[in-house]
Amino acid sequence: MIYDPHIFLIIGMAILFDVVTGIAQAVYNHVLNSQKMRSGVYHKLSYVFAVALALFIEYSVDYIDIGYTVPVFVPVCTYIVLTEAVSIVENIGKLNPELVNSGIFKLLSESKNRRKDDNDA
């Protein structure tokens, strides 16, 4: 069970990009709040814990029968990256509300709706 180190880099970059865009929009909108920032740090830390737990579970199934062998690491990482992407888009919209009705946001919206339709099927 060796994972491509790029996965960890992608997660880290998504989290960092979200933090930077979040701070930028908060400063721009004059709503920077240290309480929210502390809460955000713990939120991001929970992602690290989730990735670590997923790795632990996948490592464990090689030695202990825990009842299933479904891979969890990649889905957890995918969920985190998609969650961060949505947050980044929201932050960009708060920085420049004119973009909300632009083609960029429509593309992301269509992508989000396609994923929802796929999950409903």
Side-chain angles (χ1 to χ4, degrees), residues 3 5 10 13-14 16 33 35 48-50 59 63 84 93 95 98 100-101 114 117:
Y3 290 101
I10 291 167
M13 289 174 63
L16 180 63
N33 179 319
Q35 177 72 24
V48 173
F49 291 150
Y59 175 79
Y63 303 98
E84 292 299 278
L95 268 170
E98 293 173 11
V100 173
N101 295 320
R114 255 186 268 127
D117 292 342

Side-chain angles (χ1 to χ4, degrees), residues 4-72:
D4 187 332
H6 289 97
I7 294 173
F8 300 101
L9 180 65
I10 291 167
I11 292 170
M13 289 174 63
I15 289 171
L16 180 63
F17 194 22
D18 183 38
V19 169
V20 169
T21 58
I23 291 172
Q25 72 81 16
V27 168
Y28 177 76
N29 291 301
H30 306 287
V31 293
L32 189 62
N33 179 319
S34 63
Q35 177 72 24
K36 278 188 172 184
M37 287 179 64
R38 276 193 300 279
S39 176
V41 167
Y42 288 113
H43 182 87
K44 304 304 179 192
L45 185 59
S46 71
Y47 285 158
V48 173
F49 291 150
V51 169
L53 178 61
L55 282 171
F56 174 72
I57 289 170
E58 285 203 14
Y59 175 79
S60 297
V61 296
D62 289 341
Y63 303 98
I64 301 170
D65 181 10
I66 62 171
Y68 68 94
T69 58
V70 176
V72 291

Side-chain angles (χ1 to χ4, degrees), residues 85-96:
V86 168
S87 181
I88 292 164
V89 168
E90 290 172 352
N91 290 335
I92 292 170
K94 290 175 184 175
L95 268 170
N96 186 348

Side-chain angles (χ1 to χ4, degrees), residues 98-110:
E98 293 173 11
L99 285 178
V100 173
N101 295 320
S102 73
I104 294 169
F105 277 63
K106 287 178 185 172
L107 264 173
L108 292 168
S109 218
E110 288 174 15

